[in-house]
């Protein structure tokens, strides 16, 4: 397993400062979160590309910009967010992009299905052309989006991924909050290709807990070798991030 940091935590900083903060903490790998970009101008991807190259950091994964569509009129905007995120992933040379279902949990099922088809009908072939794998993230019960447990994720995947080509981004914080860690692992253990790592409320793990050890042990049993991406709450201090990093450096030697 490979340690990585979501740079979304420094999204209030300009990009150079953002990467500098990641480097100050001695991380080598990042998940580039699209919320680090203030305004989505299409040509900004070149700025991102330059800043990443100058930093010497390695972009392992990218977190797509997301819109949880509440009305079909918003589909085109969700498609745009998806496509510009994929362009950015290409510029940063990563081939794994984490996505949400992009639909609101408030939509009735038939409208939800229509929106899912329309959004992913455009995003999927676009990703394929760029050689990028999409990875669907489990959401928390308090998210506005749809896809918090196995039932909901099965419904989404049944519509957007009948070929079972997509991966799963396992967000441990969301799974703990929603109390579905074991169910998700049983259903998707072999499909996990990214892990968002945090305790409830995106607090950092700074010491081992029984849940954390059980989770890492299971992932290891599924032969997971991908990123462990620390995805932490904005107010987490640098000291706490450093503590969490030290903990995972120790733990990942065992897995
Ligand atoms: Zn996440």
């Amino acid at each position: 397993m490979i340690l990585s940091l979501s740079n979304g935590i420094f999204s209030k900083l300009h990009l150079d400062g953002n990467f500098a903060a990641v480097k100050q903490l001695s991380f080598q790998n990042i998940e580039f979160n699209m919320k680090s970009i203030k305004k989505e101008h299409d040509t900004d991807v070149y700025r991102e590309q330059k800043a990443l190259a100058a930093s010497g950091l390695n972009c392992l994964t990218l977190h797509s910009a997301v819109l949880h569509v509440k009305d079909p009129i918003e589909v085109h905007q969700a498609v745009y967010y998806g496509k510009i995120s994929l362009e950015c992933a290409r510029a940063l040379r990563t081939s794994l992009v984490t996505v949400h279902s992009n639909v609101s949990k408030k939509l009735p099922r038939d409208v939800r299905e229509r929106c899912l088809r329309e959004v992913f009908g455009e995003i999927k072939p676009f990703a394929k052309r760029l050689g990028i794998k999409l990875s669907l993230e489990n959401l928390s019960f308090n998210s506005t989006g749809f896809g918090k447990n196995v039932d909901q994720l099965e419904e989404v995947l049944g519509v957007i991924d009948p070929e079972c080509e997509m991966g799963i981004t396992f967000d441990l914080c969301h799974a703990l909050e929603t109390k579905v860690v074991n169910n998700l692992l049983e259903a998707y253990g072999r499909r996990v290709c990214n892990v968002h790592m945090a305790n409830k409320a995106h607090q950092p793990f700074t010491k081992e807990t029984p849940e954390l050890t059980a989770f890492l042990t299971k992932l290891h049993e599924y032969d997971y070798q991908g990123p462990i991406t620390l995805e932490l709450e904005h107010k987490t201090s640098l000291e706490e991030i450093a503590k969490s990093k030290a903990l995972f450096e120790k733990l990942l030697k065992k897995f």
Side-chain angles (χ1 to χ4, degrees):
M1 300 184 207
I2 316 158
L3 188 60
S4 182
L5 178 71
S6 166
N7 77 333
I9 188 166
F10 301 126
S11 64
K12 296 210 167 71
L13 302 175
H14 282 289
L15 211 51
D16 291 332
N18 184 320
F19 289 155
V22 177
K23 289 196 71 167
Q24 196 190 331
L25 288 156
S26 304
F27 282 91
Q28 288 160 359
N29 303 310
I30 59 163
E31 171 160 285
F32 188 86
N33 191 310
M34 289 297 284
K35 71 180 174 192
S36 313
I37 301 172
K38 301 287 176 291
K39 287 187 192 117
E40 277 101 355
H41 294 300
D42 292 19
T43 49
D44 280 355
V45 297
Y46 305 120
R47 181 193 63 188
E48 273 67 277
Q49 194 173 35
K50 258 193 197 160
L52 183 77
S55 76
L57 289 165
N58 177 31
C59 181
L60 277 186
T61 53
L62 181 137
H63 194 309
S64 176
V66 166
L67 178 73
H68 296 150
V69 168
K70 306 181 290 307
D71 184 296
I73 196 87
E74 295 175 318
V75 160
H76 72 282
Q77 207 177 334
V79 168
Y80 171 73
Y81 281 165
K83 286 188 176 176
I84 195 63
S85 300
L86 287 161
E87 287 287 6
C88 192
R90 168 162 70 171
L92 301 184
R93 294 205 178 86
T94 177
S95 54
L96 191 76
V97 168
T98 288
V99 293
H100 293 186
S101 66
N102 279 288
V103 287
S104 163
K105 63 185 175 190
K106 293 201 172 139
L107 286 176
R109 183 167 180 154
D110 57 331
V111 185
R112 186 161 70 226
E113 186 174 328
R114 181 181 138 200
C115 293
L116 280 168
R117 271 189 211 294
E118 288 181 7
V119 172
F120 284 90
E122 296 233 30
I123 291 177
K124 265 181 67 176
F126 195 80
K128 210 165 208 173
R129 274 207 301 284
L130 299 183
I132 291 172
K133 179 167 174 152
L134 297 175
S135 181
L136 181 69
E137 176 171 4
N138 63 297
L139 304 177
S140 185
F141 71 93
N142 55 12
S143 167
T144 57
F146 185 79
K148 65 175 179 179
N149 56 26
V150 174
D151 278 357
Q152 294 191 357
L153 291 167
E154 281 296 289
E155 184 194 312
V156 172
L157 290 168
V159 177
I160 68 173
D161 187 41
E163 313 86 358
C164 289
E165 288 174 343
M166 283 173 72
I168 295 290
T169 292
F170 196 116
D171 188 305
L172 181 60
C173 162
H174 298 166
L176 286 168
E177 287 173 342
T178 313
K179 300 190 174 71
V180 292
V181 177
N182 289 334
N183 290 345
L184 286 180
L185 274 170
E186 273 164 37
Y188 304 119
R190 297 197 186 283
R191 284 177 79 170
V192 175
C193 51
N194 187 14
V195 170
H196 283 170
M197 176 56 76
N199 209 338
K200 288 177 186 168
H202 289 280
Q203 293 301 304
F205 284 105
T206 50
K207 48 181 184 277
E208 238 178 307
T209 69
E211 290 100 333
L212 177 60
T213 312
F215 177 67
L216 289 172
T217 305
K218 272 270 180 249
L219 279 182
H220 185 60
E221 282 169 16
Y222 284 115
D223 199 28
Y224 179 69
Q225 294 176 4
I228 295 290
T229 309
L230 305 188
E231 190 182 57
L232 305 171
E233 204 271 330
H234 266 109
K235 289 181 188 133
T236 314
S237 68
L238 290 180
E239 289 75 11
E240 276 186 304
I241 304 171
K243 260 194 207 167
S244 196
K245 176 172 181 275
L247 171 69
F248 282 100
E249 279 169 342
K250 192 183 86 186
L251 287 175
L252 296 193
K253 281 189 191 134
K254 291 198 259 170
F255 295 104

